[in-house]
Amino acid sequence: GAGVSQSPSNKVTEKGKDVELRCDPISGHTALYWYRQSLGQGLEFLIYFQGNSAPDKSGLPSDRFSAERTGGSVSTLTIQRTQQEDSAVYLCASSLGARYYEQYFGPGTRLTVT
Amino acid sequence: DAKTTQPTSMDCAEGRAANLPCNHSTISGNEYVYWYRQIHSQGPQYIIHGLKNNETNEMASLIITEDRKSSTLILPHATLRDTAVYYCNTMGSGSGNTGKLIFGQGTTLQVKP
């Protein structure tokens, strides 16, 4: 079946603009995660959804970052007033639930803030 | 932060077994060991996880020591496509677990022809 998809695959934006990143998880996966990975850096957790709720949003770096999930499916990560330090690959992953160790990752969105 | 230590890099000859060690000396009783890998320019890929018994799947085997303080991921017949960064970490199985993955620096495995 279809895996996790993300769009756009690449996004170049000017500093100060808002961006929206989309994630379509695997159908039936109740858990959804957003991570980001800066060049040469490790994986940084941003937020976790169980269904449409976000019980753990401890990784969001500032209040410019927000995310929502609707219908227990699609999720959108929004970054307002983008800064150059926001440049990274934003990865979405889904799983059957938090107790499942197997997360399926999408291909990521490469965000470049100029 | 990751609660594990791994060698920074390893080489392996194509067709040979790749044995990647991981130290997790502070692991607690309800924590599993899990492994992921990340091939260049791709998202992370789940490999395997285990609690205390050895585990095997179509990708790899996981050998956990009796005291659970360390483990070894074995790729039985490494191919060039196995060249990647391999991440090991531990995660609890309790109800408060959110499942978020934490990766350290990992081991860069280079499979050579």
Side-chain angles (χ1 to χ4, degrees):
Chain A
V4 177
S5 61
Q6 293 184 246
S7 60
S9 55
N10 280 285
K11 177 72 176 178
V12 180
T13 190
E14 292 181 352
K15 178 181 172 182
K17 295 289 180 72
D18 298 352
V19 296
E20 280 191 356
L21 312 180
R22 177 187 169 108
C23 172
D24 284 84
I26 293 173
S27 177
H29 280 192
T30 60
L32 186 147
Y33 302 83
W34 283 97
Y35 300 90
R36 72 177 177 181
Q37 199 166 30
S38 302
L39 189 62
Q41 300 300 307
L43 198 69
E44 178 184 3
F45 166 78
L46 298 178
I47 188 169
Y48 154 63
F49 285 94
Q50 180 59 41
N52 294 334
S53 302
D56 187 354
K57 51 181 80 171
S58 62
L60 295 178
S62 75
D63 58 8
R64 296 186 295 105
F65 287 72
S66 63
E68 66 174 9
R69 188 179 184 194
T70 56
S73 180
V74 173
S75 176
T76 303
L77 177 70
T78 301
I79 308 173
Q80 295 179 310
R81 306 181 302 282
T82 52
Q83 303 294 311
Q84 287 187 331
E85 61 262 28
D86 299 335
S87 296
V89 176
Y90 288 80
L91 292 160
C92 174
S94 71
S95 75
L96 289 169
R99 294 194 177 191
Y100 291 82
Y101 295 89
E102 186 168 1
Q103 293 183 20
Y104 295 83
F105 281 79
T109 293
R110 181 175 298 279
L111 175 66
T112 304
V113 182
T114 62
Chain B
D1 291 344
K3 298 173 287 185
T4 59
T5 55
Q6 300 177 252
T8 303
S9 64
M10 294 181 65
D11 289 344
C12 178
E14 188 178 21
R16 304 296 295 270
N19 297 281
L20 293 92
C22 180
N23 181 287
H24 33 80
S25 58
T26 61
I27 193 170
S28 61
N30 71 344
E31 288 187 317
Y32 282 71
V33 180
Y34 63 87
W35 286 80
Y36 277 73
R37 73 180 182 183
Q38 190 167 21
I39 296 169
H40 184 62
S41 297
Q42 297 184 22
Q45 178 188 23
Y46 166 84
I47 302 174
I48 199 166
H49 73 276
L51 183 62
K52 55 183 178 181
N53 297 320
N54 298 338
E55 302 288 344
T56 296
N57 62 21
E58 65 277 5
M59 287 184 68
S61 294
L62 176 61
I63 308 298
I64 303 173
T65 58
E66 191 169 344
D67 64 6
R68 303 208 322 122
K69 294 182 184 297
S70 65
S71 61
T72 301
L73 180 75
I74 301 173
L75 307 178
H77 306 288
T79 71
L80 298 178
R81 290 190 300 272
D82 292 321
T83 292
V85 181
Y86 287 77
Y87 299 100
C88 161
N89 207 346
T90 62
M91 186 190 303
S93 58
S95 58
N97 171 39
T98 63
K100 64 184 178 187
L101 298 177
I102 298 173
F103 290 169
Q105 291 304 304
T107 296
T108 299
L109 175 68
Q110 181 73 49
V111 180
K112 299 187 174 181

